[in-house]
């Protein structure tokens, strides 16, 4: 609903994809959806908190109901902190793991049956340059982004034989709103 994710949704719609925008903020989601629909894009907003597995499952089911299938999954949810390893508390640790890592796995896992039926299936996990070049105050974000690269390799190896492409994209510093 914002930043890199909103830009990805807008570009996919410009290229002719039907797009599901999802996130916790209904207002932001509706804003992105409105922008896409105003230029003729086929788009819907489905509210979901990807930290909650049942909401991820509902997101996939609603996507199937709305569009009848799924060809491309973009995992982009992220929380970033400016903390050093010794500064991170358990609540922050779990919040980042749930949002930035576990949600990628669960969304792909729940989407897998739909992707396996597609002739054009792709999973795109948005990582970060912090997975391999970082600074001390990006923990645990940097460790999680490195984990996304490993998760991507595992998914690609397991699902590639089914015709599902799985890639990670690791942008550097990006100008967002």
């Amino acid at each position: 609903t914002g930043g890199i994710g909103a830009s990805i949704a807008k570009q996919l719609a410009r290229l002719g994809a039907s797009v599901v925008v999802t996130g916790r903020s209904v207002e932001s989601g509706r804003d992105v959806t409105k922008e896409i629909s105003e230029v003729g894009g086929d788009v819907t907003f489905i509210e979901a908190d990807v930290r909650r597995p049942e909401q991820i499952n509902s997101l996939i089911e609603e996507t199937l109901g709305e569009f009848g299938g799924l060809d491309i999954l973009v995992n982009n949810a992220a929380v970033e902190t400016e903390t050093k390893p010794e500064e991170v508390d358990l609540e922050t640790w779990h919040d980042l793991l749930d949002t930035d890592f576990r949600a990628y796995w669960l969304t792909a896992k729940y989407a897998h049956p739909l992707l396996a039926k597609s002739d054009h299936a792709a999973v795109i996990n948005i990582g970060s340059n912090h997975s391999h070049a970082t600074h001390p105050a990006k923990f645990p974000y940097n460790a999680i982004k490195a984990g996304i690269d490993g998760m991507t390799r595992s998914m690609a190896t397991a699902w590639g034989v089914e015709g599902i492409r799985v890639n990670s994209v690791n942008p550097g510093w990006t100008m967002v709103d």
Side-chain angles (χ1 to χ4, degrees):
T1 56
I4 293 173
S7 294
I8 291 169
K10 292 172 190 177
Q11 181 63 20
L12 286 171
R14 275 192 290 275
L15 294 170
S18 298
V19 176
V20 172
V21 173
T22 189
R24 292 181 283 181
S25 169
V26 174
E27 183 179 342
S28 296
R30 289 190 178 141
D31 289 346
V32 173
T33 302
K34 182 180 176 190
E35 285 183 53
I36 293 170
S37 62
E38 284 177 350
V39 295
D42 187 13
V43 62
T44 191
F45 172 71
I46 300 173
E47 180 183 4
D49 181 345
V50 296
R51 296 172 301 179
R52 302 188 52 169
E54 69 280 2
Q55 289 189 25
I56 296 171
N57 194 43
S58 293
L59 167 66
I60 300 302
E61 289 176 4
E62 289 182 53
T63 298
L64 176 61
E66 182 73 24
F67 293 113
L70 180 64
D71 294 318
I72 302 169
L73 169 66
V74 178
N75 277 318
N76 180 67
V79 176
E80 185 176 348
T81 61
E82 296 291 331
T83 49
K84 295 178 182 178
E86 71 276 12
E87 297 170 343
V88 177
D89 57 40
L90 279 176
E91 183 178 335
T92 301
W93 173 262
H94 287 293
D95 187 44
L96 266 73
L97 277 175
D98 289 351
T99 305
D100 296 17
F101 194 67
R102 186 182 72 167
Y104 280 38
W105 163 62
L106 285 176
T107 306
K109 174 184 171 75
Y110 295 161
H112 177 263
L114 298 180
L115 293 166
K117 294 177 184 176
S118 170
D119 293 332
H120 313 286
V123 176
I124 304 162
N125 293 322
I126 305 301
S128 170
N129 67 320
H130 285 285
S131 69
H132 58 273
T134 192
H135 60 80
K138 284 294 179 191
F139 186 84
Y141 177 82
N142 53 5
I144 290 166
K145 292 301 184 175
I148 288 170
D149 289 343
M151 180 191 326
T152 299
R153 287 188 296 275
S154 293
M155 289 176 179
T157 302
W159 297 346
V161 296
E162 300 175 61
I164 303 171
R165 289 178 297 112
V166 185
N167 293 284
S168 61
V169 176
N170 292 329
W173 293 103
T174 304
M175 297 276 296
V176 295
D177 295 342

